[in-house]
Amino acid sequence: MRAILPGKPQARLQALCTTEWEGLRLVVYISGNGLMIFSGPHDLVQTIYHEDDEGLVAVAIDEHSGKIATANSYEVLIYRPYGKEDGLLKWSLQCTIPRSPQEPADVTLSWGTDGELLIGSTSLRLFQTANEELEIWRRALSKPTRIAEFSCDADLIASTGHYDRLVKLWRRQSYGADDTRFDFSYLPHPTAVTAIHWRRPHTRVQASEHVLYSVCADYKIRIWAAMDQHRVQGLQLWAEIDMQDSVQPRQLNSKVHSQDRFAFIIDSQDFSRTTAAILKEAAKLQAANVESKEQHALEHLAEIAKSNPEICVVLDRHGHMSAWGLENVGCKARKPTDIFNVAHVENFDVGFLNSAGHIDHNTILASFCRSQPDAPFVLLAHHLDGRIEWLGCRLDELFAPFPQQKRIRQKILWTGHDGPIKRIVRSASGKAVMSRTNDNEALIWTQGFGGSDLGLTRRCSLRCPEHIHRSWLLQEGNFAANLHHASISLWDARLSPATQVGHVPFDIEGHPICLVQLPKPHLDIKTIHIATITSKKSGILWEIQLPEGSDYQPEVRRPSPPSLKYVCAFELDIDDNIAFMLPIDPAGSAMWTSSSLDTFSKDIAISYSQDGRLRAWTAAIDSDETAVKWLVTSTVETGIKDPSLASASSIRKTALVDGSMTGLTIWDMRSGQLEHSVQYTELELIRDLDWSSTPDDQAILAVGFPHQVVMLAQMRYDYLNAGAAWAPIRSINIKDSTPHPIGDSTWLGSGNLLIGSGNQLFIYDKSVDPSNNTISGLALPEHKHGKPDLFDLITILNGPLPLFHPQFISQCILAGKVDQAQKILQGLCKALKFFTDGDTLDNFVSLSPDIFTVEAQTLNGGTLDYRARYGDADDETKPHIEEVAASLNETLSQLSIPQLSSQEQMHLADMIDCVSTVIKHQRSMDENATRYLLFFRQHMIRKSQTTPKRAGITHREIAWAYHSDSQDILVDLTSRQFQNRMLWADARDCGLFMWINDVNALRAQLETIARNEYAKTDEKNPIDCSLYYLALRKKNVLVGLWRMAAWNREQASTQRLLSNNFQEARWKTAALKNAYALLGKRRFEYAAAFFLLAGNLQDAVNVCLHHIRDLQLAVAIARVYEGDDGSVLRLLLTDKVLPQAALEGDRWLATWAFWMLGKRDLALRCLISPIHTLLDTLESPKMQARSYLANDPALVVLYKQLRGRTLQTLKGASRISPKEEWDFVIQNARLYDRMGCDLLALDLVRNWEFLLQPKEVPSQTQRPPDPRKMLRRRSSLVVDDLSNPKSPTGMKAGLGKPPPQKVFEEPEANSLLDNFGF
């Protein structure tokens, strides 16, 4: 549903026309250079704009062909319809008819029969437009015509000029394009003729009986008819109706009395047809024994309709109406009863202005009837001040002889601008908006129309003599402040038009780029401070004093007139320049702040520089209101050069558009992280950004393109699936309604979206279609019926999750709350036992929130105290987890849970299976192993369910397994998952060779993979396992395998080559040559094997990295070939892995790499600090590194676990300031909240323990304090890795000195062949 403000109609006699064409009622009017075509009060069929800005002056529509003719000062344009048969009715330009430059701008248009078009100005010209435009008749006039109109059969033309007392009646003498002739006669009037109307025939007989109604300045309606066909004068005066005498007030002493009269004619054709339909409907109601309260009105209407009269209705400005019936019009012997009174009633409200002192206060009326049961009679009131009212009622209600409160009701009001809308400004609450055009004409609108919050009511117009640079609405549109290039003005908008009540010039360095209202500690609607900031970082503050009253009251205005005065000038204290600055979109928030000026104060403005630096600003006025202080509350380095557009919301979200106007990014100003990034095509340039928010502060962003608006909604963070933080939920395309590009858009306070395009304003409500393709991919519960509200939809996509949501259960496992996860499943099983469709399901499944905030008893290494975990006596009576999982999965396959979508319910079933597996092995492994096992199991389930190739285990799971003390169990479980036939692709999916600590176990696993790679095909190709055996330095095994590969054509040459001693330089060179040759043939893995054969580990690792693009393979080869202390591995981690982690913001990969290098302090610090600050690199991180995905809340779990594990990690923690740690914890609590895991956020902030800080800073001569004293709970399990320097291998073991390196002895090939079944 939408409302339309189509544009301000032109103040012309022929600005509006209507007709019924092929059963379709069409209403057409002109606004500026636009043509608006409607088929109903809310049904905009098409908008057509002329190519230039020349305003249109007249419009006419042909009831026979549906063609529309419109004109401006230099040409007439004819549009023809197409696509009606396909249900896609539109009009396209058929031809243009040029006008003479000497003609005045005003012109009249009238359609005849067979495509004839009459154009009247200084001459009357008749054109045939059936195929192509052809002038068939022309007649010059002594004075320009004001009205020229064909009769219904096109035999007669009635024309008159400006202030003319004569109506010239043209009678057609002959037809045909070659010989069209007219003669004329005059119809004299005592005063100037103001309007004419030809009667529409009711029957074929009436078609030849021409009847003309003329209205004069003497307030009389004259009826002309062909009473004597033989007289020279074609029509004769049949009767007169005095409009002054027709409408008289009921009270003689009435103060509301006006001399102005208005009239319209209801033709007998429309009246009879509509009356018959009303009486037929009433007969059906009576047959159904339905009592009608308006029976008397129906009887009165039936009595009127007996003689099929014409109805002449006369009105005044105060709702008085007099209706007259005309019978036997044209009869020579007129009887007194041929003109009779139908009704004389009150409360006929047609939005007339109360005075007629200006031409704009006049109104032109047109009526028609249509087949709508609720309002079959329609009155179009074209007010020349720029409004068209569509009014409707039933005829029995209109002419009811008894009093009624409201006889006719307004269906729609068409108004707006007559020029393209350039800018729309909203008030802080969104209840008032100002729309502005290029010619500095503004309209102020207030929300609320007819009891609905969808429409806008025009409050007043504002025309400013100076160029309006920026605007600000005050007191919900009662006042407006306009910023000009060298001055500021204050306008009173309580009456229309608005009046200027204050003007202050200024002289300041730079050009003004921003106008912003400053908040105050207390809500004061009388005193308002606004400021402007220039491109040179200078600014001026003004004070505005406003009266308290909202409506105009002269007695209020006199003692306290609005005032505008200069307060002070100021400078912004920043180093770089400001490219642009704009106020925060208030999105419904009030303009007030705390009394102190700090980073917790509400942001009021946002600025960006040419290099993409975003700053959020707040300000405070001192106590004596003579100075202002500005403060930067947050700064974000986006790295986007030359931004073109930005917009910020009151909840600290900022959207930024790049210089190409195709890239959009959304930033969280509080945390400085990137939440969304999207690149549109070059055909979709971003022109506008508008923020709104739900009542619970969930953000919505409207992204404006030339012809459409895309709404992006805030989503929950999803770190486990790397889900998008923002998603499109609605797309509005206006191309079908108007070809004009969008000028501006804004949100109204109720959540409706206002779009300005051309002369028009479109208002779109909050309803969203769930079946729309835009939101079909979102996780929405399927129990919702109908069209949900936009705010309701966003609440579903955000807010707290139910405890049984798969994401909440996953985060419980990561946070070490396995027992709580088990209780959730047990509670859900119990809740679903008697659950049926339609029932409500408790989000907490009868669990107390306190169970999530009880601090767990854990060891420093992350191993849970089993006695504390399994000491409950009730565990014996509770159902086993496998029984619970089986019961839940059976129930979930039969029922739909209201809070979950179908996809989330499937993920819940998978999660139940994973949690069951984890709990089954829980007693035999530590927490880190359970974390890895949960997501490894989940990965394997999803891998088996989906056809597309999925990404493997992430670096987060690798880090958990790496720090686990139960790796032997994990290796066994993962191997069994692949039936003990693990290939390298499977090992890469598991991350196996990155998290196994024991190098000997690593070599054993690689040897197993080598055997499986060799035996994976029936032909058993030695090439498949060459890289792995050569990494294990088992060349003899490979030689034995080649000996049995007789089928391979490379057997002989490979055997000869492998039989040589590659310690010699000659054969090393031969191996290198083969390696480079294989690189040229793109056999990269085999090439890496030959590099290893030549003893060149570095080149083999480079091939794995740059050609195979397999980091895990490079790490595996380096670790197996020369151990964890090897130089190649250290170089790989230092030069490749860590820079990659810094560029991508991968903290999990960075902490693993630092720990592998023995830099445990940095392994801890990189969980909090930006990674690139810990490296000696000048390369700036990618935008991906700034993403919210780089700040996984599970990092806080790993940080807490590692912080007290060794002296090195404690030393690293001591280098993290308390504020950094505080910000880290609070930031992760916010992340939990954004994920919908509010209980985990509460647990984090409630149970977090900060390290004790030393009371005194030690001097240089003193020994540094023992880091263990920083722990609040003393533990003997902190590993001392600072006492003696250790190699990385020894540091990895974590205890004492490193064990001696064993000398590797290569076994004979024959001793290993039994492993392959030979």
Side-chain angles (χ1 to χ4, degrees):
M1 179 182 177
R2 69 178 185 184
I4 306 172
L5 295 166
K8 178 182 178 181
Q10 300 284 72
R12 305 280 182 174
L13 283 178
Q14 272 197 282
L16 171 70
C17 66
T18 178
T19 192
E20 186 172 347
W21 170 61
E22 295 184 358
L24 179 66
R25 171 59 62 173
L26 296 174
V27 179
V28 184
Y29 81 93
I30 53 177
S31 171
N33 66 334
L35 183 66
M36 318 301 168
I37 307 173
F38 284 85
S39 61
H42 303 282
D43 303 323
L44 178 63
V45 179
Q46 188 180 3
T47 301
I48 302 174
Y49 286 97
H50 199 245
E51 292 180 356
D52 53 28
D53 295 333
E54 184 73 24
L56 302 177
V57 296
V59 65
I61 185 168
D62 185 10
E63 65 178 344
H64 303 291
S65 63
K67 291 182 180 180
I68 298 175
T70 185
N72 54 27
S73 62
Y74 61 88
E75 66 180 349
V76 175
L77 302 99
I78 300 175
Y79 298 90
R80 60 184 173 191
Y82 67 92
K84 188 172 186 295
E85 298 80 6
D86 301 328
L88 300 172
L89 178 60
K90 298 293 178 184
W91 276 259
S92 63
L93 183 65
Q94 174 188 334
C95 62
T96 59
I97 301 173
R99 295 182 60 193
S100 172
Q102 288 75 31
E103 292 182 358
D106 289 338
V107 68
T108 64
L109 303 171
S110 181
W111 287 96
T113 57
D114 299 327
E116 291 180 340
L117 176 64
L118 178 67
I119 303 174
S121 181
T122 55
S123 63
L124 289 179
R125 294 190 295 166
L126 185 61
F127 287 84
Q128 176 57 252
T129 65
N131 297 316
E132 58 183 13
E133 68 277 11
L134 176 65
E135 184 176 323
I136 59 177
W137 177 72
R138 176 194 289 260
R139 186 66 177 266
L141 302 175
S142 60
K143 60 189 302 186
T145 184
R146 181 172 178 266
I147 302 172
E149 188 173 339
F150 264 120
S151 63
C152 293
D153 60 355
D155 280 346
L156 299 178
I157 300 173
S159 67
T160 185
H162 292 272
Y163 309 106
D164 201 343
R165 296 187 301 108
L166 298 174
V167 173
K168 189 174 288 188
L169 193 66
W170 304 81
R171 182 186 294 275
R172 191 190 294 262
Q173 297 298 312
S174 63
Y175 288 88
D178 298 333
D179 184 20
T180 299
R181 290 178 289 111
F182 287 85
D183 64 359
F184 65 89
S185 58
Y186 292 100
L187 303 180
H189 293 72
T191 58
V193 178
T194 58
I196 63 174
H197 171 78
W198 287 101
R199 181 183 70 175
R200 295 184 56 80
H202 182 57
T203 62
R204 289 186 177 181
V205 176
Q206 279 188 343
S208 60
E209 298 176 354
H210 301 106
V211 175
L212 179 68
Y213 299 89
S214 63
V215 183
C216 292
D218 60 356
Y219 294 107
K220 288 186 179 181
I221 300 175
R222 290 171 174 83
I223 300 101
W224 305 81
M227 294 182 292
D228 187 354
Q229 301 287 347
H230 302 289
R231 293 179 60 176
V232 176
Q233 189 181 27
L235 299 179
Q236 298 84 39
L237 181 63
W238 183 75
E240 292 181 352
I241 297 176
D242 192 329
M243 293 191 290
Q244 290 283 4
D245 295 339
S246 298
V247 177
Q248 296 291 338
R250 296 295 178 90
Q251 293 89 11
L252 296 178
N253 58 351
S254 176
K255 295 181 180 179
V256 286
H257 185 64
S258 173
Q259 297 294 326
D260 299 322
R261 297 293 183 267
F262 307 90
F264 62 90
I265 305 296
I266 305 176
D267 293 308
S268 61
Q269 176 191 20
D270 287 343
F271 182 77
S272 301
R273 183 176 59 185
T274 305
T275 301
I278 293 174
L279 295 176
K280 184 178 180 180
E281 182 186 357
K284 290 181 180 180
L285 294 176
Q286 289 181 352
N289 296 324
V290 178
E291 296 183 2
S292 176
K293 296 181 180 180
E294 310 298 335
Q295 187 64 31
H296 183 49
L298 291 171
E299 293 174 356
H300 180 63
L301 182 64
E303 185 66 26
I304 298 171
K306 284 182 179 179
S307 56
N308 296 329
E310 317 282 333
I311 305 296
C312 177
V313 182
V314 182
L315 310 170
D316 69 358
R317 291 187 179 274
H318 306 294
H320 302 113
M321 182 196 79
S322 177
W324 300 86
L326 309 176
E327 293 183 21
N328 304 319
V329 178
C331 181
K332 291 183 179 179
R334 181 172 66 86
K335 298 180 292 185
T337 57
D338 287 347
I339 301 178
F340 59 94
N341 184 260
V342 172
H344 193 149
V345 297
E346 297 177 350
N347 297 326
F348 192 91
D349 298 325
V350 178
F352 296 117
L353 297 178
N354 292 329
S355 62
H358 195 271
I359 186 65
D360 288 351
H361 292 186
N362 289 329
T363 300
I364 302 172
L365 302 175
S367 66
F368 61 87
C369 296
R370 59 180 190 150
S371 56
Q372 292 291 332
D374 58 334
F377 172 73
V378 175
L379 179 64
L380 297 176
H382 175 203
H383 305 284
L384 296 187
D385 65 340
R387 296 174 295 137
I388 293 179
E389 279 188 286
W390 181 302
L391 303 128
C393 68
R394 291 165 53 99
L395 286 179
D396 53 337
E397 297 174 352
L398 181 64
F399 299 129
F402 48 82
Q404 285 193 348
Q405 196 165 19
K406 204 162 190 177
R407 293 184 176 270
I408 196 165
R409 294 168 296 279
Q410 186 188 94
K411 297 295 183 182
I412 194 68
L413 177 68
W414 293 336
T415 184
H417 292 274
D418 58 359
I421 296 171
K422 175 184 178 183
R423 182 69 176 161
I424 302 177
V425 180
R426 56 169 273 173
S427 64
S429 65
K431 295 179 180 178
V433 295
M434 173 194 284
S435 53
R436 196 174 72 234
T437 62
N438 287 322
D439 56 359
N440 300 317
E441 181 191 21
L443 293 177
I444 296 178
W445 311 81
T446 55
Q447 194 172 9
F449 173 75
S452 170
D453 64 350
L454 186 60
L456 289 177
T457 303
R458 190 177 76 172
R459 180 166 196 144
C460 78
S461 61
L462 186 153
R463 185 172 289 276
C464 186
E466 299 180 77
H467 173 71
I468 301 177
H469 190 53
R470 295 285 185 270
S471 298
W472 196 271
L473 288 179
L474 307 168
Q475 275 193 6
E476 303 301 342
N478 291 329
F479 299 89
N482 290 326
L483 180 68
H484 314 289
H485 289 301
S487 64
I488 186 171
S489 59
L490 178 65
W491 295 75
D492 189 341
R494 292 177 290 178
L495 287 180
S496 185
T499 56
Q500 183 173 305
V501 294
H503 186 271
V504 177
F506 61 82
D507 184 14
I508 191 171
E509 184 182 5
H511 61 275
I513 58 176
C514 178
L515 182 66
V516 61
Q517 178 181 344
L518 271 62
K520 301 191 69 175
H522 54 87
L523 194 59
D524 184 2
I525 61 174
K526 293 178 60 178
T527 304
I528 295 173
H529 290 86
I530 59 175
T532 184
I533 295 96
T534 71
S535 56
K536 299 297 184 180
K537 300 177 289 184
S538 302
I540 298 178
L541 179 69
W542 294 279
E543 179 184 284
I544 299 175
Q545 292 288 341
L546 299 177
E548 294 183 2
S550 59
D551 297 326
Y552 172 68
Q553 300 173 0
E555 63 273 11
V556 174
R557 177 180 283 192
R558 289 193 189 101
S560 58
S563 64
L564 172 67
K565 70 175 183 179
Y566 169 87
V567 176
C568 67
F570 57 85
E571 298 286 337
L572 298 182
D573 186 17
I574 55 175
D575 296 332
D576 55 343
N577 289 325
I578 295 177
F580 203 78
M581 190 171 186
L582 65 158
I584 295 289
D585 195 329
S589 61
M591 293 297 295
W592 62 273
T593 186
S594 60
S595 57
S596 59
L597 182 65
D598 49 37
T599 56
F600 295 100
S601 301
K602 202 172 191 64
D603 295 341
I604 63 170
I606 193 82
S607 68
Y608 60 84
S609 60
Q610 294 293 340
D611 57 356
R613 182 179 296 108
L614 285 173
R615 288 188 179 94
W617 297 84
T618 189
I621 305 169
D622 60 6
S623 56
D624 57 357
E625 299 186 352
T626 59
V628 60
K629 295 180 180 179
W630 289 82
L631 177 68
V632 177
T633 58
S634 58
T635 302
V636 177
E637 299 287 347
T638 65
I640 298 174
K641 303 299 181 182
D642 299 323
S644 59
L645 195 63
S647 182
S649 72
S650 57
I651 54 178
R652 296 194 172 182
K653 306 291 182 185
T654 299
L656 190 66
V657 180
D658 62 11
S660 65
M661 302 182 71
T662 57
L664 171 68
T665 53
I666 301 177
W667 301 83
D668 187 315
M669 295 298 294
R670 182 183 286 109
S671 62
Q673 61 190 14
L674 175 66
E675 292 192 348
H676 186 64
S677 178
V678 61
Q679 191 74 29
Y680 296 99
T681 64
E682 294 181 357
L683 300 177
E684 299 176 300
L685 298 182
I686 302 172
R687 300 295 181 87
D688 190 28
L689 299 169
D690 294 288
W691 286 99
S692 183
S693 64
T694 64
D696 54 348
D697 282 345
Q698 308 294 343
I700 316 169
L701 176 65
V703 184
F705 300 93
H707 295 282
Q708 73 169 342
V709 175
V710 176
M711 296 183 187
L712 299 178
Q714 176 179 306
M715 306 279 287
R716 294 188 188 96
Y717 285 166
D718 185 1
Y719 290 91
L720 304 180
N721 300 307
W726 292 79
I729 58 172
R730 188 179 182 185
S731 179
I732 298 173
N733 196 315
I734 66 167
K735 252 187 178 178
D736 294 336
S737 301
T738 175
H740 203 285
I742 296 174
D744 198 7
S745 61
T746 191
W747 291 93
L748 300 178
S750 59
N752 301 327
L753 183 66
L754 179 65
I755 299 176
S757 173
N759 304 355
Q760 302 169 322
L761 290 169
F762 299 90
I763 308 170
Y764 291 86
D765 65 1
K766 296 183 292 185
S767 63
V768 179
D769 186 4
S771 61
N772 194 328
N773 294 333
T774 309
I775 62 174
S776 58
L778 302 180
L780 294 177
E782 296 182 353
H783 73 287
K784 294 286 184 183
H785 300 287
K787 293 183 178 180
D789 186 272
L790 181 66
F791 288 173
D792 295 336
L793 175 64
I794 295 175
T795 301
I796 295 172
L797 298 174
N798 292 275
L801 291 170
L803 298 188
F804 48 82
H805 194 281
Q807 175 159 280
F808 187 88
I809 296 176
S810 301
Q811 292 299 326
C812 279
I813 301 294
L814 286 176
K817 300 182 182 298
V818 181
D819 290 348
Q820 287 85 338
Q822 182 174 359
K823 291 178 180 179
I824 291 172
L825 298 184
Q826 291 171 345
L828 180 62
C829 182
K830 183 178 179 181
L832 293 179
K833 190 173 184 180
F834 302 103
F835 181 83
T836 59
D837 289 336
D839 292 350
T840 57
L841 186 62
D842 180 19
N843 286 343
F844 288 88
V845 288
S846 302
L847 295 178
S848 172
D850 294 338
I851 67 171
F852 295 93
T853 56
V854 175
E855 186 176 6
Q857 299 180 15
T858 58
L859 300 177
N860 286 330
T863 306
L864 196 61
D865 186 348
Y866 296 135
R867 289 174 297 176
R869 290 170 60 182
Y870 296 97
D872 292 338
D874 295 339
D875 287 347
E876 299 292 336
T877 61
K878 292 180 180 178
H880 198 273
I881 186 61
E882 294 182 354
E883 299 175 4
V884 172
S887 175
L888 278 175
N889 284 332
E890 182 180 358
T891 305
L892 291 176
S893 64
Q894 301 171 358
L895 296 175
S896 294
I897 296 181
Q899 293 93 326
L900 302 180
S901 66
S902 57
Q903 184 180 9
E904 289 172 340
Q905 191 161 327
M906 288 184 359
H907 288 171
L908 176 60
D910 298 341
M911 182 58 63
I912 291 171
D913 188 8
C914 298
V915 173
S916 172
T917 303
V918 167
I919 295 176
K920 183 171 66 174
H921 298 282
Q922 186 182 15
R923 293 180 180 270
S924 57
M925 62 177 62
D926 60 7
E927 282 186 352
N928 288 336
T930 61
R931 293 181 178 110
Y932 175 86
L933 182 60
L934 174 78
F935 294 103
F936 170 72
R937 176 66 178 162
Q938 185 180 29
H939 164 69
M940 297 305 298
I941 291 176
R942 294 190 181 182
K943 185 178 179 181
S944 63
Q945 290 174 346
T946 56
T947 305
K949 186 177 180 181
R950 299 183 59 90
I953 289 295
T954 66
H955 294 138
R956 176 183 56 240
E957 285 74 53
I958 291 173
W960 294 126
Y962 181 70
H963 291 289
S964 171
D965 295 331
S966 309
Q967 290 187 354
D968 51 345
I969 301 175
L970 287 182
V971 171
D972 179 62
L973 290 175
T974 52
S975 299
R976 281 192 289 171
Q977 185 67 41
F978 301 102
Q979 291 80 40
N980 291 322
R981 298 187 62 84
M982 183 183 292
L983 303 176
W984 171 252
D986 304 325
R988 183 175 57 233
D989 270 359
C990 303
L992 197 68
F993 287 85
M994 291 183 71
W995 55 258
I996 293 181
N997 288 332
D998 188 358
V999 177
N1000 292 326
L1002 201 71
R1003 291 190 175 110
Q1005 279 301 124
L1006 190 64
E1007 188 170 359
T1008 302
I1009 288 174
R1011 290 198 302 268
N1012 294 336
E1013 288 284 347
Y1014 174 74
K1016 68 180 179 182
T1017 59
D1018 294 336
E1019 58 188 12
K1020 297 183 178 180
N1021 193 346
I1023 296 176
D1024 296 336
C1025 60
S1026 297
L1027 177 61
Y1028 311 110
Y1029 276 120
L1030 291 176
L1032 291 166
R1033 301 176 185 265
K1034 294 188 177 183
K1035 187 190 73 172
N1036 291 339
V1037 176
L1038 192 61
V1039 170
L1041 297 179
W1042 273 107
R1043 191 179 302 126
M1044 291 176 288
W1047 56 270
N1048 196 318
R1049 62 182 181 180
E1050 299 178 0
Q1051 181 195 28
S1053 58
T1054 306
Q1055 273 190 300
R1056 285 196 302 272
L1057 180 64
L1058 292 178
S1059 62
N1060 298 294
N1061 182 9
F1062 288 91
Q1063 300 298 324
E1064 299 178 8
R1066 170 190 172 188
W1067 297 113
K1068 282 187 178 182
T1069 304
L1072 289 175
K1073 288 182 178 180
N1074 279 277
Y1076 288 118
L1078 290 169
L1079 283 178
K1081 296 179 180 179
R1082 304 189 64 83
R1083 297 174 66 181
F1084 300 127
E1085 190 173 315
Y1086 204 28
F1090 273 88
F1091 278 122
L1092 289 179
L1093 188 63
N1096 198 333
L1097 174 62
Q1098 185 64 59
D1099 286 341
V1101 168
N1102 290 338
V1103 169
C1104 295
L1105 273 180
H1106 302 119
H1107 296 281
I1108 306 177
R1109 298 187 183 277
D1110 192 340
L1111 172 64
Q1112 292 195 39
L1113 182 59
V1115 171
I1117 290 174
R1119 294 185 68 188
V1120 169
Y1121 193 85
E1122 62 177 8
D1124 287 351
D1125 298 329
S1127 59
V1128 174
L1129 177 63
R1130 297 183 65 85
L1131 190 65
L1132 171 65
L1133 297 176
T1134 304
D1135 293 352
K1136 301 294 182 181
V1137 176
L1138 285 174
Q1140 176 185 339
L1143 282 175
E1144 299 175 356
D1146 193 339
R1147 298 181 187 273
W1148 299 101
L1149 181 61
T1151 186
W1152 171 85
F1154 278 128
W1155 200 280
M1156 284 286 294
L1157 290 169
K1159 300 177 181 180
R1160 298 186 176 184
D1161 53 340
L1162 297 181
L1164 184 77
R1165 290 174 59 191
C1166 73
L1167 300 178
I1168 295 182
S1169 304
I1171 304 172
H1172 67 274
T1173 61
L1174 307 177
L1175 302 176
D1176 297 331
T1177 177
L1178 298 177
E1179 190 173 4
S1180 59
K1182 296 180 181 178
M1183 190 171 292
Q1184 178 184 353
R1186 302 181 177 96
S1187 171
Y1188 79 96
L1189 293 172
N1191 298 314
D1192 192 331
L1195 290 168
V1196 76
V1197 180
L1198 182 62
Y1199 174 81
K1200 186 177 182 179
Q1201 182 185 123
L1202 299 182
R1203 185 179 63 180
R1205 174 172 286 191
T1206 72
L1207 291 182
Q1208 266 204 71
T1209 57
L1210 278 173
K1211 180 182 177 182
S1214 66
R1215 296 181 180 178
I1216 299 173
S1217 67
K1219 184 181 183 303
E1220 285 181 306
E1221 188 171 346
W1222 166 272
D1223 293 339
F1224 177 61
V1225 174
I1226 297 302
Q1227 170 65 10
N1228 281 279
R1230 291 195 185 104
L1231 295 179
Y1232 274 132
D1233 180 70
R1234 180 70 185 272
M1235 293 171 65
C1237 304
D1238 302 61
L1239 290 176
L1240 298 182
L1242 178 62
D1243 170 62
L1244 178 64
V1245 297
R1246 180 176 179 178
N1247 296 320
W1248 185 264
E1249 291 183 354
F1250 291 92
L1251 294 177
L1252 295 173
Q1253 299 299 318
K1255 297 181 180 179
E1256 297 181 359
V1257 179
S1259 61
Q1260 295 182 353
T1261 58
Q1262 293 178 336
R1263 292 184 59 186
D1266 188 352
R1268 284 173 289 194
K1269 294 182 179 180
M1270 299 173 65
L1271 293 173
R1272 294 182 181 270
R1273 304 182 187 185
R1274 302 300 298 273
S1275 173
S1276 59
L1277 297 180
V1278 178
V1279 177
D1280 182 4
D1281 53 358
L1282 290 177
S1283 300
N1284 298 310
K1286 308 178 187 68
S1287 65
T1289 303
M1291 295 177 67
K1292 185 166 295 296
L1295 296 171
K1297 297 182 179 180
Q1301 184 73 27
K1302 295 182 179 180
V1303 178
F1304 178 76
E1305 297 179 0
E1306 183 175 359
E1308 293 293 332
N1310 295 332
S1311 65
L1312 295 174
L1313 290 182
D1314 289 339
N1315 292 327
F1316 298 93
F1318 300 128

